[in-house]
Amino acid sequence: MPLLPRLDELDMDDPPNTNGATSHDRPNHDRPNHDRPNHQTPVQEPGGRDFGSRVELALAASNHLLNARNSPRYVAQVLQGVTAVATKLERTARPFTGVGPSELEARVGAVDLERPLPDTAAALQELEDVYLRDAVYFHDARYAAHLNCPVVIPALVGEAVLSAVNSSMDTWDQSAGATMIERRLIDWTAKRLDLGDASDGIFTSGGSQSNLQALLIARNHAVAGLRQDPARAGLRLPALLDTLRIFTSEDSHFSIQKSSSMLGLGFDAVVTVPCTPDHRMDPAALAEALAGARDAGLTPMAVVATAGTTDFGAVDPLPELAALARAYGAWFHVDAAYGGGLIVSGRYRHLLDGTGLADSVTVDFHKTFFQPVSSSALLVRERTMLRHVTYYADYLNPHSAALAAIPNQVDKSIQTTRRFDALKLWLTLRIMGADAIGALFDEAIDLAARVGKLLAADDAFELAAPPRLSTLVFRYRPRLDSGDRISEDAADALNPAIRAAVFASGEAVVAGTTVGGRHYLKFTLLNAEATLEDISGIINFLRRTGAGLLRSEATA
């Protein structure tokens, strides 16, 4: 039996109040004046507009504002939305419908945004047609594509609360308790990362923004060092950027190159360092690259290690890389957007050994902490380094407020207006606990290991590397009657076609990538309820799809 009422069981025109009574049960004096007809004589505005009707429209629109008077309406309408989602989840049997872009574009384009619908029920019914029906559902066991996790219910409770209260996290006088909750969670995360008592940080929208802010701090820190040279002391920032270099592995996230470009260094300021066969940055190759840069008169600005690469889940050798960064005076940043969930793991926490040596760390809670997007954080080992992004504005966060120790979070952030995303993690920890979050991630890692063994034993597939966390990179490359596998070129054409056909079917969603210029498929497993049988079913579907495509090509 469903736990929530269906849409047709709710009366949105008579929302229940907090005592369970309808609006008809309330005395007339409880109803707002602007719910009653306005009998004033209309006044014509210049241009022939009816001033009275505009006032009535504004008064009617105020019934949609969240406030004490409208709280019953808020409860009933949000309940309708929650019920629509719950009903959809109960009735959805696959992760995707297979709809194409042109069909969905036509449906969305047919909506007349100038003509509002009569009520919430009608709007939600329309939403079913333009969104809910064709959304990609990450909770389904056959969704195995990107770093999208099924979300935990305590975080959804937090999402509902933070959206309604709508705290803005830039200044204390807009956020109060929210500021303290966020700061406490930053301290908790930094402690789990072994960053020490002088650490600090800020919540961000995601890993890309966290990496951008880390590299902005690293850039400004490096520039401050360059200006210690009397010959450079008076130079403006652009003149100081040309020699700065960022070192990261060839398997690191694209946001490192993108951040370099946005920071004025250019894409080519990023030096990509080769990896060892296990897809971890090679310390010997990094040492050679750093030495070469120094000999060329360049400045090693930052070394960016990855704790959980997007494709292979590889964790770079953090202590060795930290030592090299320190030897060359470079900022050491760890991008643990994916692997950050290991700080609550019961079995794999050791994979993050060395994060305490970092100058900064990125963690995405909306990946391996099972939080709704967006929820990320940037942590720094020395809180004073956050001064590199501080700017004081008299109308928002004057310097006098900082002197008075007023905790304005905008002093630490590259965002101004910012959501209270920390509340989702707070309620998750308070309701579930850190160990429970870690147990979910551990289950996903264990499942990936079992699937890796399955693929390695299947002669129709090639596994690119053993799984490290919860991703697997592989390809369908069966043998011909001669006993030889299909050619590399044929596999390159076949595997993207398999992925596209499977996605169009809606029966499963898998990702794709390239390794050494060759096309592969990829599983990203983050669903603790997915079983080996579930993933075996996807593998068999991939096999059948690939075999069918090969037969079609042979008979064409």
Side-chain angles (χ1 to χ4, degrees):
M1 293 290 291
L3 299 178
L4 296 171
R6 301 296 184 194
L7 291 178
D8 55 8
E9 295 172 348
L10 294 168
D11 184 351
M12 286 309 301
D13 292 325
D14 280 316
N17 65 19
T18 53
N19 296 318
T22 68
S23 58
H24 292 305
D25 296 322
R26 285 180 277 159
N28 187 59
H29 61 74
D30 285 343
R31 300 189 193 182
N33 291 333
H34 50 264
D35 277 341
R36 305 170 193 160
N38 188 328
H39 298 295
Q40 295 178 346
T41 302
V43 177
Q44 292 294 319
E45 292 183 274
R49 288 178 294 178
D50 186 339
F51 178 78
S53 67
R54 299 296 294 180
V55 171
E56 289 188 2
L57 180 61
L59 292 174
S62 71
N63 289 323
H64 295 285
L65 293 172
L66 177 59
N67 52 37
R69 175 175 59 82
N70 291 331
S71 60
R73 188 186 303 269
Y74 158 69
V75 171
Q77 292 192 20
V78 169
L79 187 57
Q80 279 201 88
V82 170
T83 302
V85 174
T87 302
K88 187 63 183 176
L89 292 177
E90 292 171 0
R91 297 176 180 176
T92 297
R94 55 184 183 171
F96 184 51
T97 62
V99 67
S102 59
E103 179 186 343
L104 199 52
E105 181 181 27
R107 267 192 262 150
V108 174
V111 173
D112 185 355
L113 294 176
E114 302 298 333
R115 295 171 61 88
L117 294 170
D119 52 33
T120 301
L124 289 170
Q125 189 61 50
E126 179 185 78
L127 193 66
E128 161 72 16
D129 189 50
V130 298
Y131 174 56
L132 290 176
R133 180 191 310 162
D134 300 299
V136 178
Y137 286 98
F138 305 144
H139 74 281
D140 192 288
R142 287 166 297 174
Y143 179 85
H146 304 286
L147 280 165
N148 306 117
C149 56
V151 296
V152 293
I153 294 171
L156 295 177
V157 175
E159 186 74 59
V161 173
L162 73 92
S163 296
V165 179
N166 201 32
S167 299
S168 181
M169 296 302 299
D170 40 340
T171 58
W172 165 254
D173 62 1
Q174 300 177 71
S175 57
T179 292
M180 293 308 170
I181 288 174
E182 177 172 296
R183 289 187 167 210
R184 179 71 186 279
L185 285 173
I186 287 293
D187 291 343
W188 175 84
T189 307
K191 183 177 181 180
R192 290 263 177 167
L193 290 166
D194 299 325
L195 287 174
D197 294 338
S199 59
D200 202 351
I202 197 75
F203 269 68
T204 73
S205 66
S208 292
Q209 186 183 317
S210 293
N211 288 340
L212 173 63
Q213 180 163 346
L215 291 174
L216 172 60
I217 294 171
R219 186 201 71 178
N220 291 354
H221 179 62
V223 166
L226 291 176
R227 283 180 170 151
Q228 298 302 308
D229 179 357
R232 293 169 166 170
L235 295 177
R236 294 185 65 249
L237 183 65
L240 295 168
L241 301 183
D242 188 52
T243 66
L244 299 183
R245 294 294 181 267
I246 300 168
F247 300 81
T248 192
S249 88
E250 58 190 357
D251 284 353
S252 65
H253 195 261
F254 77 91
S255 61
I256 307 306
Q257 281 80 4
K258 191 172 183 179
S259 295
S260 179
S261 176
M262 294 171 69
L263 293 171
L265 279 68
F267 289 110
D268 57 359
V270 178
V271 179
T272 55
V273 179
C275 291
T276 52
D278 58 1
H279 294 276
R280 305 168 78 208
M281 192 194 301
D282 184 349
L286 175 61
E288 183 179 350
L290 287 166
R294 181 190 58 189
D295 292 345
L298 303 174
T299 304
M301 179 189 106
V303 172
V304 179
T306 310
T309 58
T310 304
D311 279 345
F312 293 99
V315 178
D316 288 337
L318 304 182
E320 294 91 330
L321 304 185
L324 285 166
R326 186 174 296 108
Y328 283 85
W331 186 272
F332 183 49
H333 175 63
V334 176
D335 177 6
Y338 176 13
L342 293 170
I343 64 174
V344 292
S345 169
R347 296 195 287 275
Y348 303 104
R349 171 62 185 86
H350 63 279
L351 296 176
L352 280 186
D353 288 350
T355 52
L357 301 171
D359 293 299
S360 56
V361 182
T362 287
V363 175
D364 270 8
F365 301 110
H366 58 231
K367 288 186 172 68
T368 46
F369 288 77
F370 306 94
Q371 302 293 290
V373 293
S374 56
S375 185
S376 179
L378 171 69
L379 294 304
V380 293
R381 187 158 48 89
E382 295 289 341
R383 65 174 60 93
T384 57
M385 291 295 118
L386 290 170
R387 71 181 185 275
H388 288 296
V389 298
T390 301
Y391 186 89
Y392 296 112
D394 288 341
Y395 50 80
L396 187 69
N397 62 326
H399 189 250
S400 59
L403 296 176
I406 295 174
N408 291 326
Q409 291 291 83
V410 72
D411 296 353
K412 307 175 185 181
S413 178
I414 60 175
Q415 292 175 265
T416 304
T417 303
R418 189 165 53 82
R419 302 175 81 240
F420 181 27
D421 286 313
L423 180 62
K424 295 177 286 191
L425 180 60
W426 178 269
L427 285 182
T428 300
L429 291 175
R430 302 309 299 140
I431 296 170
M432 291 177 57
D435 290 346
I437 302 170
L440 292 177
F441 192 20
D442 286 350
E443 285 296 309
I445 295 172
D446 290 345
L447 176 61
R450 294 193 293 270
V451 174
K453 292 179 181 178
L454 193 68
L455 285 167
D458 193 324
D459 197 45
F461 291 90
E462 289 182 336
L463 188 62
R468 302 295 174 186
L469 294 181
S470 63
T471 56
L472 298 109
V473 178
F474 63 99
R475 60 179 172 175
Y476 179 65
R477 195 181 173 205
R479 295 189 184 276
L480 303 170
D481 292 339
S482 64
D484 296 327
R485 293 190 184 276
I486 64 171
S487 70
E488 294 271 12
D489 290 343
D492 276 347
L494 179 60
N495 281 274
I498 292 172
R499 181 192 176 201
V502 168
F503 185 65
S505 77
E507 294 298 326
V509 184
V510 301
T513 190
T514 60
V515 181
R518 296 295 183 180
H519 288 278
Y520 282 74
L521 302 171
K522 186 174 74 169
F523 287 154
T524 303
L525 306 178
L526 285 176
N527 192 335
E529 290 199 335
T531 65
L532 186 60
E533 290 70 27
D534 290 326
I535 310 305
S536 296
I538 301 176
I539 293 171
N540 289 330
F541 188 30
L542 295 170
R543 187 199 322 276
R544 293 195 304 272
T545 303
L549 290 169
L550 285 174
R551 284 194 300 271
S552 297
E553 182 180 338
T555 58

